[in-house]
Amino acid sequence: MRSKIAIFVLLLLAAAGFYFRNDINTLYLQLTQKLPPLEKISVDTLVNQVQKQISLPPPLRVEDQAPESNLTRDGVIIWTNSQRASNGLQPLIENVKLDAAAQAKAKDMFAQQYFAHVSPSGIGAADLAKNAAYDFLAIGENLALGDFADDKDLVQAWMNSPGHRANILNAKYMEIGVAVVKGTYEGQITWMAVQEFALPMSACPGPDENVKKSIDSYNSQLDQWAGTLQNQKSALENPQGLSREEYNQKVNAYNNLVAQYNNLVATLKTLIQTYNRQVDLFNQCIK
């Protein structure tokens, strides 16, 4: 009789265990569904896709020297804007930082005895603007060497050269800096003339850095939460030793965190869309 009771108890426990196992499996299948994949978007490269434009036509050197030569910064700017006006373009506004960059270039060419857009030490137009604390979207540089009769003659010589003419008549440029310096080059007293054309960074609305900071912050939070979710999911996949109440508590905690995670993903996507629209407007502005 006792053996029959024992067998009955064992069968009852087995049936209960089987029932409980099925219940847990059902709960697991219903409540621990696979997380939707997080769309990874690299926002760090969005601004970098905007390439700052630099136009550097070959330097202009004249062989015929005027018997008397006198060049001035103001005169070069006046005749440059005269050429732009003749071609239906807005005048360029003189910028003191670009003047400083042009002056530094002219003096450096005399000091190091070279005539090129890039110095022997690797310094170019973009570096000169940066050293002068001028932030630009596009920059162009015209160089000339020789004894030009006057400012008009110098500007006309640039206009006769396709690359230099393109810089002078570039509708994109808004500001200009000029330097005309007399010194000794290759043993001869002569003039160095430099024009720096630019589209300033302020001309185009850039992407909101606060939006980018929020995107970076949310990305960091999602990375942290992903690890926590994976640990919780692993525990739910192996529920041995848990009562039904304990298991349900863990499932609820897991699902609550999944809901927060998914809400954060939705917010992140909205921020990225906003940021991308700003980048698109920025790109269109500098074309």
Side-chain angles (χ1 to χ4, degrees):
M1 181 66 180
R2 289 182 178 178
S3 61
K4 289 182 179 180
I5 293 175
I7 292 173
F8 175 76
V9 170
L10 290 173
L11 290 174
L12 185 61
L13 290 174
F18 180 78
Y19 173 79
F20 182 70
R21 180 177 61 81
N22 287 341
D23 195 15
I24 285 184
N25 286 340
T26 300
L27 284 172
Y28 172 72
L29 290 174
Q30 291 178 346
L31 301 179
T32 61
Q33 298 179 6
K34 184 179 180 181
L35 289 176
L38 173 63
E39 182 181 359
K40 294 292 185 179
I41 299 178
S42 178
V43 298
D44 293 334
T45 60
L46 290 178
V47 175
N48 292 336
Q49 292 174 355
V50 177
Q51 297 296 322
K52 292 186 176 181
Q53 301 171 7
I54 302 176
S55 176
L56 308 172
L60 176 66
R61 184 171 184 172
V62 296
E63 300 298 334
D64 296 333
Q65 305 295 315
E68 293 185 8
S69 179
N70 185 44
L71 303 178
T72 66
R73 173 186 295 143
D74 290 344
V76 171
I77 294 174
I78 288 171
W79 283 108
T80 297
N81 280 332
S82 175
Q83 292 289 349
R84 288 176 65 87
S86 297
N87 286 272
L89 299 174
Q90 293 295 316
L92 298 170
I93 299 173
E94 183 179 7
N95 183 284
V96 293
K97 292 181 179 179
L98 288 177
D99 282 340
Q103 188 77 7
K105 178 65 176 179
K107 288 185 175 181
D108 188 59
M109 287 191 292
F110 276 126
Q112 299 197 61
Q113 292 292 290
Y114 72 96
F115 184 52
H117 290 291
V118 180
S119 74
S121 56
I123 302 299
D127 304 302
L128 292 169
K130 181 179 180 181
N131 292 341
Y134 185 89
D135 202 1
F136 66 91
L137 296 170
I139 197 166
E141 183 177 77
N142 283 354
L143 302 179
L145 170 66
D147 291 338
F148 300 88
D150 51 28
D151 303 322
K152 180 180 179 180
D153 186 41
L154 166 60
V155 173
Q156 187 59 54
W158 272 326
M159 287 294 293
N160 293 338
S161 168
H164 300 90
R165 177 187 179 90
N167 272 345
I168 291 173
L169 300 183
N170 192 327
K172 180 187 306 179
Y173 296 139
M174 297 175 60
E175 298 183 335
I176 188 174
V178 171
V180 286
V181 179
K182 197 170 188 178
T184 301
Y185 182 73
E186 295 181 343
Q188 300 292 325
I189 302 296
T190 189
W191 288 88
M192 292 275 195
V194 181
Q195 285 180 313
E196 302 289 354
F197 307 90
L199 175 67
M201 182 67 76
S202 59
C204 294
D208 189 342
E209 288 302 313
N210 289 327
V211 175
K212 186 176 183 299
K213 288 178 181 178
S214 295
I215 291 173
D216 293 340
S217 175
Y218 286 159
N219 266 330
S220 178
Q221 292 181 51
L222 287 174
D223 287 341
Q224 295 176 6
W225 284 15
T228 300
L229 285 169
Q230 185 57 49
N231 291 335
Q232 291 190 10
K233 184 178 179 182
S234 297
L236 292 172
E237 290 173 342
N238 300 280
Q240 290 83 358
L242 295 177
S243 67
R244 181 182 301 185
E245 182 179 357
E246 290 172 334
Y247 184 79
N248 285 338
Q249 289 175 350
K250 289 185 177 294
V251 167
N252 289 334
Y254 175 81
N255 284 341
N256 287 336
L257 190 56
V258 169
Q260 295 178 54
Y261 181 94
N262 288 338
N263 287 335
L264 194 58
V265 169
T267 301
L268 178 61
K269 288 182 178 180
T270 299
L271 284 172
I272 290 173
Q273 290 173 355
T274 299
Y275 188 77
N276 284 341
R277 283 194 296 269
Q278 295 173 353
V279 171
D280 289 341
L281 290 174
F282 183 81
N283 287 337
Q284 292 172 13
C285 179
I286 68 170
K287 287 183 179 179

